[in-house]
Amino acid sequence: MNSPSVQQGGQPAQEYLTFTLGREEYAIDILRVQEIRGYDQVTAIANSPAFIKGVINLRGAIVPIVDLRIKFNLADVTYDPFTVVIILNIGRRIVGVVVDSVSDVIALSGEEIKPPPEFGASFDTEYLLGLATVAERMLILVDIEKLMTSREMGLVEAAAA
């Protein structure tokens, strides 16, 4: 899609797609996004983890669909007209993730991204790039490539990423 832009201070910025999961707003690297689609029925796969909703046929390619709301243990998982699937291209593999809604694309420089807080062993922040505040909105930046290539997801081989 787009290459990094330059903000006012001359700092290179990276663009992120923002989306909501429950009451929180998240952001992922826009360069990993292939397209955004409305949520449609998926074909369930027997014995798959609960967060893997199934697969869809995307123009001849079979694409696994991950519901990030279930993966992140959010309480209310509803499917409404705002529910969308973000199609990602990670390591030459196409994966879809279900989110509550997509907000916009924003540019953030490295100085605007703060490291995630330390939670000790009680909470794993391995997949968080950091936090950013934009116009009183707190964004949680997710390393979507690291999450999708993780061993527990088992969707994309790390070597292919």
Side-chain angles (χ1 to χ4, degrees), residues 10-117:
Q11 298 288 330
Q14 186 171 349
E15 292 184 320
Y16 294 89
L17 176 70
T18 64
F19 58 91
T20 59
L21 294 173
R23 299 172 69 181
E24 308 305 327
E25 195 167 10
Y26 294 80
I28 58 174
D29 182 356
I30 190 85
L31 296 178
R32 299 290 175 220
V33 177
Q34 179 173 309
E35 65 184 85
I36 299 167
R37 305 169 48 94
Y39 181 77
D40 203 1
Q41 194 64 34
V42 299
T43 301
I45 303 294
N47 294 323
S48 62
F51 59 84
I52 297 180
K53 297 299 295 176
V55 295
I56 63 169
N57 184 340
L58 181 66
R59 295 180 290 278
I62 302 301
V63 177
I65 303 296
V66 175
D67 194 324
L68 284 183
R69 302 169 301 178
I70 297 171
K71 175 66 183 152
F72 291 170
N73 296 318
L74 298 181
D76 295 324
V77 176
T78 59
Y79 299 90
D80 60 30
F82 297 106
T83 305
V84 296
V85 176
I86 302 171
I87 304 294
L88 304 167
N89 193 332
I90 297 175
R92 295 178 290 177
R93 182 83 194 265
I94 300 172
V95 177
V97 294
V98 180
V99 299
D100 287 333
S101 65
V102 170
S103 305
D104 56 8
V105 175
I106 60 165
L108 295 171
S109 67
E111 293 105 27
E112 295 174 293
I113 301 170
K114 307 299 180 209

